[in-house]
């Protein structure tokens, strides 16, 4: 095994390796993290997603809810939508999805409906995750498609992107509240000499 490939696999984490992650999947997650970083700079929650087939990126997106005002502007939905358009077909069964945050119920449902072949995600989402945390929608035996889910690829750095973004946002809001509630300096009295 080449040293670079071995280093990529080590980055994935032992659980992800046991679940079948390969160096290419780690590389796609790194790309998704780059997209997430760009989203954070635009004020979006830093989540990035890449739809890929083998080593070829079919589409890639980041969260864009703030910019578009679209409540469905999640990275993985936008990436799957673009992948379907690029391929001229809604069925993406020969594609994989790498996303930096565990998909929510809306996105997990779309993953099933798009027939995504494999799903890799970074950080778990204990508040809204639907691929293992709160629900496991893609593994529900009542559904007609159940893609393999590999959790925790680059989980720590993916999680750090999110926690630092929200910590920064809380600091900015606190500073804004403090600025709006602090007394304004007394206006200086000016006298006019006639």
């Amino acid at each position: 095994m080449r040293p670079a490939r071995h280093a990529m696999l080590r980055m994935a984490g032992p659980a992800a390796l046991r679940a079948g992650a390969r160096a290419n999947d780690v590389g796609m997650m790194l790309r998704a993290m780059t997209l997430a970083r760009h989203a954070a700079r635009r004020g979006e929650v830093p989540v990035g997603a890449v739809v890929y087939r083998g080593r070829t990126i079919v589409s890639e997106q980041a969260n864009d809810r703030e910019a578009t005002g679209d409540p469905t502007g999640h990275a993985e939905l936008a990436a799957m939508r673009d992948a379907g358009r690029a391929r001229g077909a809604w069925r993406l069964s020969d594609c994989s999805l790498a996303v930096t945050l565990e998909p929510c119920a809306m996105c997990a449902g779309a993953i099933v409906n798009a027939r995504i072949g494999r799903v890799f995600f970074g950080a778990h989402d204990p508040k809204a995750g639907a691929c293992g945390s709160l629900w496991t929608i893609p593994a529900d035996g009542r559904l007609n498609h159940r893609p393999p889910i590999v959790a925790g690829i680059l989980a720590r750095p993916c999680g750090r992107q999110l926690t630092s973004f929200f910590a920064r946002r809380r600091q900015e809001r606190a500073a804004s509240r403090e600025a709006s509630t602090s007394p304004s300096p007394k206006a200086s009295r000016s006298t006019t000499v006639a």
Side-chain angles (χ1 to χ4, degrees):
M1 186 181 303
R2 293 178 301 195
R5 187 168 178 223
H6 186 64
M8 292 279 276
L9 288 172
R10 276 197 327 266
M11 290 171 60
L17 292 178
R18 285 192 299 275
R22 297 185 291 266
N24 183 53
D25 304 315
V26 177
M28 295 300 176
M29 187 63 75
L30 288 168
R31 177 65 191 148
M33 288 179 67
T34 298
L35 296 167
R37 194 168 34 257
H38 294 310
R41 288 187 196 130
R42 295 189 311 269
E44 301 282 353
V45 174
V47 178
V50 178
V51 175
Y52 57 102
R53 184 171 181 245
R55 294 182 181 276
T56 304
I57 293 176
V58 178
S59 69
E60 56 183 24
Q61 287 291 334
N63 275 2
D64 65 1
R65 289 192 313 174
E66 300 300 325
T68 62
D70 181 357
T72 68
H74 290 199
E76 53 270 59
L77 279 181
M80 287 186 289
R81 189 178 301 121
D82 286 355
R85 285 187 192 126
R87 299 193 54 192
W90 62 267
R91 193 179 300 269
L92 302 172
S93 55
D94 59 344
C95 294
S96 297
L97 170 70
V99 59
T100 57
L101 180 65
E102 179 181 359
C104 68
M106 174 178 67
C107 296
I111 286 165
V112 170
N113 284 308
R115 309 296 196 270
I116 290 284
R118 300 178 311 148
V119 178
F120 298 90
F121 73 83
H124 283 272
D125 185 352
K127 294 182 178 179
C131 291
S133 289
L134 295 179
W135 305 281
T136 310
I137 291 172
D140 191 316
R142 296 170 291 181
L143 299 173
N144 63 347
H145 178 68
R146 292 179 294 284
I149 306 290
V150 179
I153 293 184
L154 302 172
R156 285 189 183 124
C158 288
R160 276 194 301 269
Q161 278 187 319
L162 289 154
T163 55
S164 64
F165 173 81
F166 286 114
R168 196 168 41 253
R169 183 180 268 183
R170 282 189 297 274
Q171 289 172 345
E172 289 167 357
R173 286 184 180 156
S176 176
R177 278 193 304 271
E178 189 175 300
S180 67
T181 60
S182 64
S184 59
K186 292 183 180 180
S188 62
R189 295 182 188 179
S190 59
T191 53
T192 307
V193 179

